[in-house]
Amino acid sequence: MIWFLRTFSKLAVLLASATLAFGFLDRQLAVADSFSHFRLHFLGLLVLVAFGLLFFRAWRWVLPVFLLAPVVWLHAVILEWPEIYTLPLGHNVRLVQFNALFKNPKPNFSADWILQQTPDLVTLQEVSKQSGVIIDALKRQLPYSVLCKFATVGGVAVVSRYPIVQSGCIEGQGLVWIQVSIEGKLLTVASLHLHWPWPYRQWQQIERLKPALESMPKPILLAGDFNAAPWSGAVQKIAVATDTKVVPGHRLTLRMGPPPFGPIAFMPIDHILIPEKTHVRSIKRGPAIGSDHHPVVTDIVLE
């Protein structure tokens, strides 16, 4: 029995290590990108099994794991911590990003919470007939909006306090954008909803969206449900196409799990991308307000 447990643990270490390494090909292969989203989960499994091997005194197997773990952790989390800025003077813009959930059981509650944040801009995904009530409620403070059809789970939308100068809708592809004037400066604000990763159509969707992403008027403030981790190839492709950068931080926004254990937040897939020369004053994850996603509230400084 001891021999079996020892052998099984060694095989688990090999498998988890190989999976972690494969995930670092996330810029080249769609299948590797899918594994990269769970980088920290595989790392946790690897460390757990390594602790088990300590009981068998398998030092040659344990030491590499404890050397590898901090490297992966640094890459996935510490390097994603919010940067510390000496913030310039500028106009503060507050954005709320929220996947509203097409079957949201309490859309008015969701809208009330969003309004309490006094946002200037709101990006929404899964806007259906049921969750679309949120847009109607937001009109009390944010009278301007554009909604674009996407999939059976609902469309994507941008809601704004500022009048809309121009807008664009890539119908059926999960992208909508508006351009607004803030203190005399033009800013494009986009809402994005990506499909699930491989074996689903996420990378194909990104390729189809690439011309639209590259042609949007710059500078661009883009937010959405990426169905991808911030370090993934999918998110980086979007950042390159829009000349933006991902706001650092490790915010677990997707909530799932069976009733006895959840739902619990376990994946960081809702992101804010900002222009390269733009700074963030603050960013925080909001509470559960009726969706399987947490909202994200971001204060951005426009110089």
Side-chain angles (χ1 to χ4, degrees), residues 97 123-127 147-158 168-177 190-195 201 205-206 208-209 212-213 216 222-227 238:
Q97 151 59 26
T123 50
L124 298 169
Q125 299 81 43
E126 294 199 24
V127 182
L147 172 63
C148 186
K149 292 181 180 179
F150 174 39
T152 54
V153 294
V156 287
V158 182
C169 164
I170 315 301
E171 190 169 323
Q173 293 300 321
L175 177 66
V176 64
W177 60 268
S191 175
L192 177 68
H193 193 182
L194 291 182
H195 288 300
R201 307 186 307 275
Q205 180 188 7
I206 293 172
R208 287 194 294 269
L209 282 173
L213 292 167
M216 281 193 299
L222 187 152
D225 171 8
F226 287 69
N227 278 308
I238 299 294

Side-chain angles (χ1 to χ4, degrees), residues 7-303:
T7 303
F8 178 81
S9 297
K10 289 181 178 179
L11 289 174
V13 165
L14 285 174
L15 181 60
S17 300
T19 304
L20 270 174
F22 183 60
F24 280 95
L25 295 174
D26 53 353
R27 304 295 194 274
Q28 289 77 37
L29 300 171
V31 59
D33 200 25
S34 291
F35 281 96
S36 78
H37 305 313
F38 299 94
R39 188 166 291 161
L40 295 181
H41 302 80
F42 289 124
L43 179 64
L45 174 63
L46 184 61
V47 172
L48 185 64
V49 175
F51 273 113
L53 282 171
L54 286 175
F55 291 100
F56 301 114
R57 300 182 182 278
W59 305 111
R60 287 182 299 176
W61 290 79
V62 173
L63 186 58
V65 170
F66 289 137
L67 291 175
L68 173 67
V71 175
V72 178
W73 183 263
L74 280 167
H75 182 272
V77 177
I78 295 181
L79 295 182
E80 296 293 334
W81 283 357
E83 301 170 25
I84 300 174
Y85 297 112
T86 302
L87 289 174
L89 296 176
H91 188 80
N92 190 81
V93 175
R94 175 164 289 183
L95 168 74
V96 174
Q97 151 59 26
F98 183 47
N99 180 316
L101 182 63
F102 69 98
K103 56 180 180 179
N104 190 319
K106 42 185 180 180
N108 286 306
F109 175 78
S110 301
D112 287 343
W113 185 90
I114 293 173
L115 288 173
Q116 289 170 15
Q117 312 312 306
T118 61
D120 300 296
L121 300 159
V122 179
T123 50
L124 298 169
Q125 299 81 43
E126 294 199 24
V127 182
S128 63
K129 184 177 181 180
Q130 184 167 332
S131 62
V133 172
I134 295 174
I135 295 179
D136 295 331
L138 292 179
K139 287 180 179 178
R140 287 176 282 169
Q141 293 182 18
L142 297 89
Y144 308 101
S145 64
V146 175
L147 172 63
C148 186
K149 292 181 180 179
F150 174 39
T152 54
V153 294
V156 287
V158 182
V159 187
S160 170
R161 184 187 304 278
Y162 311 104
I164 297 172
V165 176
Q166 61 174 322
S167 64
C169 164
I170 315 301
E171 190 169 323
Q173 293 300 321
L175 177 66
V176 64
W177 60 268
I178 65 172
Q179 189 181 54
V180 296
S181 178
I182 304 174
E183 297 288 306
K185 295 183 179 181
L186 295 176
L187 175 69
T188 297
V189 185
S191 175
L192 177 68
H193 193 182
L194 291 182
H195 288 300
W196 287 358
W198 181 93
Y200 297 92
R201 307 186 307 275
Q202 187 178 90
W203 273 35
Q204 292 91 326
Q205 180 188 7
I206 293 172
E207 285 303 309
R208 287 194 294 269
L209 282 173
K210 191 174 179 182
L213 292 167
E214 292 175 339
S215 63
M216 281 193 299
K218 295 177 177 59
I220 298 169
L221 171 60
L222 187 152
D225 171 8
F226 287 69
N227 278 308
W231 53 78
S232 66
V235 174
Q236 298 308 315
K237 285 174 181 286
I238 299 294
V240 170
T242 53
D243 288 340
T244 57
K245 59 184 178 182
V246 184
V247 176
H250 192 68
R251 294 166 295 278
L252 302 175
T253 55
L254 179 62
R255 304 167 61 245
M256 292 184 70
F261 307 101
I264 58 172
F266 77 104
M267 281 289 288
I269 65 172
D270 293 80
H271 310 302
I272 317 296
L273 277 62
I274 61 175
E276 285 290 343
K277 294 183 180 180
T278 301
H279 300 293
V280 172
R281 190 179 300 277
S282 69
I283 184 166
K284 63 180 180 179
R285 187 190 75 173
I289 57 172
S291 173
D292 55 349
H293 289 246
H294 287 275
V296 179
V297 183
T298 312
D299 286 326
I300 300 149
V301 180
L302 299 179
E303 296 183 40

